[in-house]
Amino acid sequence: MDMWLSESQIKDAAMTYKVKETLVRRKTPFQDLAIVDTEAFGRMLLLDGIVQTTINDEYVYHEMITHIPLLTHPNPKKVLVVGGGDGGTIREILKHPSIEKAVLCEIDEIVIEECKKYLPEISCALTDPKCEIFIGDGIKYVHEHKNEFDVVIIDSTDPFGAAEGLFGGSFYKEIYECLTDDGIFVAQTETPFYLPEVVKKVYDDAKAVFPITKLFMAGIPTYPSGYWSFTLGSKKYDPEKANVIDKYDLDTKYYTKRLHSASFVLPKFIEDLTK
Ligand code: SAM
């Protein structure tokens, strides 16, 4: 008998995956966690039935949310990741030679525990000595750390439940204060195809706080609509003007130095959201 997993993307559309095996399913204090093995995308982490990451396409998200801000900053030493318990963003951060410390602030320690067990390709850098793991709410952590990080990355679940407060103006003000004088912030900010109002609100909220605010895009097959936005706020450096060509090379599958500035070129319906 074939087993199929269906993730609804909007009320009237869903994405369906053929499942080989369910590796783990457990209720955590924060969410319903599952890791399943699928025919098309390999092992997949789901939280509350929503796909978070898969072995076959995780590189797009993790490379883009990391290398765009880290190569825009001339010398990033200390980076904070809020969420990101699968470890993919930490793995990409630690590819940068200037990094001295990467802090992961994840609210749900069971996500880390199960990803270490079942998704070692993604979570492999969580045991690196440069990675410091803090279990707790990112909102509180950011509030309690001022002028400390060169880059803050919000690698969160969608804007509901524990992650709701990670989207919006008051949190972006706190991030501004958590960053050093030339710091950069980036967040995953949903799909403009299905959720234009969310993308616009996040962009407008970030723009009210950061002197330089830009939206960039990436193609991620397992995220709703396959077309995902990231919002970047910067105190000093413009990601489109960063001289990435002269920088060190990275081992990547999606990010390239030419793609760096190209990812900020937006289709009209998305560009309109930034006006
Ligand atoms: N790449 C993913 C995506 O866009 O679907 C995000 C993956 S990562 C697993 C998201 C993590 O954010 C989850 O493990 C969740 O527990 C964590 N999270 C949600 N709200 C949080 C908060 N307020 N503070 C810290 N971590 C949070």
Side-chain angles (χ1 to χ4, degrees), residues 31 52 61 83-84 86 105-107 111 137-138 155-157 162-163 223:
Q31 47 218 345
Q52 301 294 307
Y61 176 91
D86 52 72
C105 175
E106 163 64 62
I107 205 165
V111 173
D137 190 338
D155 180 2
S156 70
T157 38
Y223 284 1

